[in-house]
Amino acid sequence: MTTAVGRNDLCPCMSGKKYKHCCSSRENMIKEIGLPVFSEDYVLQMLLQDSDKFINFYKNERHKISTKINWAFDERLNSRMKSIGLENPDTKEIEYVVIIKQVPIQFAHAFDTAHELQHLILNQEGFPSLSYINNTNNTNINWISGMKDLACRISNSITDPLVNARLVKYDFDLWDNYDRVAKAQMPYLQSIKNIFPNEPSQMEGRAFIASAFIQAVLDWEAACRISPNANNNYIKNLRSMFPVTTKETEDILALIKTHGYASPDQASIIFYNIIQKFGLGRLFRLSNLNI
């Protein structure tokens, strides 16, 4: 919203309301976001008209998110959507910003939208994640970026499958998601294999492989609830490419099977065991879910 808007003009967020009755009181927050912001009704209109699965999900789950959601548009986004937390400069409260690359969101992205909203619900429930601690004063930008990415990947190895497991009851196509994740992960894993034909000795590289393996197994189990005959070629490929690391990750999967991962406390135990197993305690700490 870079052009001046009159108080009696229609709000640029496409809510259909006059600006003075809509976003005029949120000018500072919108400037903080730095992207065009649209009303939720406008963003989700196609899904709420045409997707029975999303309508059912939205009706039963949306009320669980009490924190304000800002829907922001960025066509440069390199993923379908992502969420961040941002402090409102006026209220000093954290609000969610869901960044999307298409407005309104199209029918084909109903699952992605439900998935993103379910992540926000996990955040509301107090689920933990890992965050990188740069306590070695390492100034290497690539290293810092890599460690932040690893923390995110380990976190997602638990939270993404949990989100998918919760979406089973809404009959979304989890197999399509499983296949998409597998295709996205394989180039990274293949690059590791090319660099370390006998598997990486560094704990960070092994933790990356382990997180991919954990997520693959848990996602496959969720997909099997809807498609019992879903193939597990991705898991087989991981075992074949990294037999040592996947084998040493089996005890984490056994812990998940025994204790579960569906509550914040259970997830904390799993994360703690992962970082201890791969000697990453000095690099990562548990915090609230990084959305």
Side-chain angles (χ1 to χ4, degrees):
M1 299 180 185
T2 56
T3 58
V5 182
R7 285 176 51 79
N8 289 312
D9 292 341
L10 287 177
C11 189
C13 79
M14 304 299 289
S15 66
K17 301 176 183 178
K18 289 185 177 181
Y19 184 61
K20 64 182 179 182
H21 296 312
C22 195
C23 291
S24 64
S25 62
R26 297 182 53 77
E27 286 183 350
N28 290 332
M29 182 60 180
I30 293 171
K31 288 178 182 177
E32 189 75 13
I33 294 171
L35 295 167
V37 174
F38 293 90
S39 74
E40 186 163 309
D41 287 344
Y42 181 72
V43 167
L44 302 180
Q45 61 178 298
M46 295 184 70
L47 302 184
L48 293 174
Q49 289 173 2
D50 302 325
S51 174
D52 291 339
K53 295 175 184 179
F54 185 82
I55 291 170
N56 190 22
F57 164 82
Y58 193 82
K59 179 177 67 175
N60 288 286
E61 305 290 342
R62 177 61 178 87
H63 71 278
K64 298 177 182 178
I65 306 172
S66 57
T67 300
K68 169 71 177 176
I69 300 178
N70 300 274
W71 297 87
F73 170 68
D74 188 353
E75 62 183 358
R76 301 164 300 175
L77 192 66
N78 58 11
S79 59
R80 296 186 181 184
M81 60 187 69
K82 73 172 184 178
S83 299
I84 61 173
L86 197 63
E87 182 181 281
N88 185 312
D90 295 322
T91 66
K92 306 304 179 184
E93 295 180 350
I94 297 296
E95 298 183 3
Y96 297 137
V97 181
V98 180
I99 306 172
I100 52 181
K101 65 185 304 181
Q102 192 176 53
V103 179
I105 297 174
Q106 302 297 301
F107 176 83
H109 297 154
F111 170 82
D112 300 298
T113 310
H115 191 276
E116 203 69 27
L117 290 173
Q118 187 64 63
H119 263 290
L120 300 187
I121 293 172
L122 292 189
N123 184 264
Q124 296 274 281
E125 294 174 358
F127 269 80
S129 71
L130 295 181
S131 57
Y132 169 60
I133 314 169
N134 189 6
N135 55 11
T136 61
N137 296 319
N138 192 323
T139 58
N140 186 304
I141 295 176
N142 291 332
W143 167 262
I144 294 172
S145 176
M147 289 303 98
K148 288 182 177 180
D149 180 66
L150 179 57
C152 182
R153 288 179 182 275
I154 295 175
S155 298
N156 286 343
S157 72
I158 299 299
T159 56
D160 265 16
L162 177 57
V163 164
N164 292 337
R166 290 187 176 189
L167 293 178
V168 165
K169 64 182 177 181
Y170 297 108
D171 202 30
F172 284 104
D173 187 353
L174 298 185
W175 168 242
D176 178 70
N177 174 70
Y178 174 80
D179 189 50
R180 179 153 42 100
V181 170
K183 289 178 179 177
Q185 290 275 41
M186 280 308 295
Y188 296 101
L189 294 164
Q190 189 60 58
S191 67
I192 292 176
K193 184 65 175 177
N194 292 341
I195 297 171
F196 305 102
N198 297 318
E199 301 195 36
S201 57
Q202 296 96 331
M203 290 297 189
E204 296 83 6
R206 289 162 59 200
F208 179 93
I209 296 166
S211 65
F213 184 59
I214 291 169
Q215 182 171 352
V217 172
L218 297 181
D219 272 344
W220 180 74
E221 290 176 351
C224 282
R225 298 183 192 180
I226 293 178
S227 305
N229 296 321
N231 77 69
N232 63 347
N233 289 338
Y234 176 44
I235 296 173
K236 292 178 180 177
N237 287 339
L238 287 174
R239 291 186 190 276
S240 175
M241 293 169 68
F242 307 104
V244 176
T245 306
T246 53
K247 184 174 179 58
E248 68 179 354
T249 308
E250 292 288 357
D251 60 342
I252 300 293
L253 290 169
L255 182 67
I256 292 172
K257 187 172 183 179
T258 302
H259 294 282
Y261 64 105
S263 74
D265 287 344
Q266 290 170 332
S268 295
I269 292 171
I270 301 304
F271 286 138
Y272 176 79
N273 276 270
I274 291 174
I275 61 177
Q276 291 302 311
K277 183 173 188 64
F278 293 100
L280 301 175
R282 73 192 190 285
L283 296 175
F284 299 132
R285 68 182 174 193
L286 283 175
S287 60
N288 195 28
L289 188 64
N290 288 328
I291 58 170

